[in-house]
Amino acid sequence: MATRYVRVRAPEGTIYYGILQLNRAVQVLDAPPWHQGQPIDLELPPESYELLAPCAPSKVVAIGKNYAAHAAEMESAVPKEPLMFLKPSSAITSHGSPILYPAKSQRVDYEGELALVIGERCTDCTPEEAASKIWGYTIANDVTARDLQRASLGPWSQAKGFDSFCPLGPWMVRELTTGATVQTFLNDAETPVQCASIDQMVYRPDALVAYISQTMTLLPGDVVLTGTPEGVGPVQVGDRIRIEIEGIGCLENRVMARQSNPATVLPSDITAIQFPPPEA
Ligand code: MG
């Protein structure tokens, strides 16, 4: 099994990167793993820590319509260049935390996606250089208020940017399984609503990172969402969405109605967000 890198909050409140052990204890590292974090003399017992999103990026850069079948279901063509947009870091939430359904929308969709984690500063890279800047991989749900996206004439910042609209995790791995399948499941259904091989991407991870780096510098810990396959669809309050990527794991979140004070149910690192992030 691939080594699983996590980010956790210890009982006294400190946030650590670490390595998840088979018994679910966490071996703490002294720095983010892409900064060569080394094990220290601290192991957090199972159940003693809060599992957070696996990194705290300065930005999440997402790519739209990167699978031809999904572009077709959106009644559009595959873009001539990668279609790039941003999700705010405040939208990030962890495995097991709720997705908050906002009252402003009547149509919220799941989008299961492979997420890249950047390990090294990356400006104007070639695809060959970009390949070495990708430190690892995790799973994302690019949750989208589809009605607001369709009604919008401008950027998708609102439709894609609500608090909790970027579940990420549960952990990161260094290697990607060749041809890995991305699958999305709703509730207890055995048949996935999305199922595709990452080989069906139009623009490959290294090409995406190179392309993005021509516009904006990617920093260590930044995240790139690589686009969703065919089969997007709506969620309802109470639904559970599980996204599985072969060789990485499963990211699961339940949908609940957004309350007047969403901070009460958001992960503690989001509600207490600090800039720059402590590990920067
Ligand atoms: Mg997407």
Side-chain angles (χ1 to χ4, degrees):
M1 191 185 70
T3 302
R4 295 168 166 178
Y5 294 86
V6 292
R7 195 169 140 270
V8 297
R9 183 188 286 275
E12 87 288 5
T14 313
I15 294 175
Y16 295 108
Y17 286 88
I19 295 173
L20 188 64
Q21 312 291 308
L22 278 178
N23 67 357
R24 304 196 78 80
V26 171
Q27 167 60 59
V28 170
L29 303 176
D30 61 3
W34 42 86
H35 291 324
Q36 290 72 50
Q38 296 300 312
I40 59 171
D41 187 21
L42 176 60
E43 187 173 276
L44 303 173
E47 318 299 333
S48 73
Y49 56 84
E50 178 189 3
L51 183 70
L52 303 174
C55 53
S58 76
K59 55 190 169 298
V60 176
V61 188
I63 301 295
K65 299 174 187 166
N66 198 27
Y67 290 80
H70 169 63
E73 77 178 342
M74 300 306 283
E75 298 176 340
S76 58
V78 170
K80 289 196 176 67
E81 291 187 8
L83 172 60
M84 185 166 75
F85 60 95
L86 289 170
K87 284 174 88 81
S89 52
S90 49
I92 295 171
T93 196
S94 58
H95 170 71
S97 290
I99 294 166
L100 303 179
Y101 201 120
K104 274 180 187 291
S105 175
Q106 274 69 57
R107 168 75 192 245
V108 172
D109 282 11
Y110 56 80
E111 292 190 3
E113 306 196 7
L114 171 70
L116 317 176
V117 181
I118 301 299
E120 250 182 88
R121 193 180 180 95
C122 184
T123 311
D124 285 345
C125 290
T126 64
E128 294 70 32
E129 290 164 341
S132 69
K133 310 283 186 182
I134 301 172
W135 180 86
Y137 304 89
T138 186
I139 306 170
N141 189 345
D142 176 18
V143 181
T144 303
R146 194 69 71 200
D147 51 351
L148 302 183
Q149 184 190 32
R150 291 201 170 116
S152 159
L153 297 174
W156 300 340
S157 307
Q158 185 186 38
K160 298 275 193 179
F162 284 97
D163 290 347
S164 81
F165 270 29
C166 190
L168 203 61
W171 44 67
M172 306 171 285
V173 299
R174 298 294 317 266
E175 300 296 327
L176 196 55
T177 305
T178 308
T181 323
V182 182
Q183 295 187 95
T184 304
F185 297 86
L186 281 185
N187 301 316
D188 295 319
E190 287 176 15
T191 308
V193 285
Q194 294 187 288
C195 180
S197 161
I198 55 169
D199 283 350
Q200 293 168 256
M201 281 183 201
V202 177
Y203 300 102
R204 309 288 307 159
D206 48 358
L208 293 176
V209 168
Y211 181 84
I212 294 163
S213 81
Q214 311 296 317
T215 299
M216 58 187 87
T217 295
L218 289 164
L219 299 175
D222 277 356
V223 168
V224 174
L225 308 190
T226 56
T228 201
E230 181 185 21
V232 297
V235 299
Q236 311 299 333
V237 169
D239 281 349
R240 276 179 294 113
I241 300 111
R242 186 174 88 254
I243 301 166
E244 290 188 18
I245 300 183
E246 228 178 321
I248 305 180
C250 294
L251 170 69
E252 183 168 314
N253 300 85
R254 186 184 285 274
V255 181
M256 60 183 275
R258 181 173 165 133
Q259 310 292 325
S260 54
N261 183 7
T264 56
V265 292
L266 291 171
S268 59
D269 65 320
I270 301 299
T271 50
I273 204 156
Q274 298 172 350
F275 291 101
E279 64 273 20

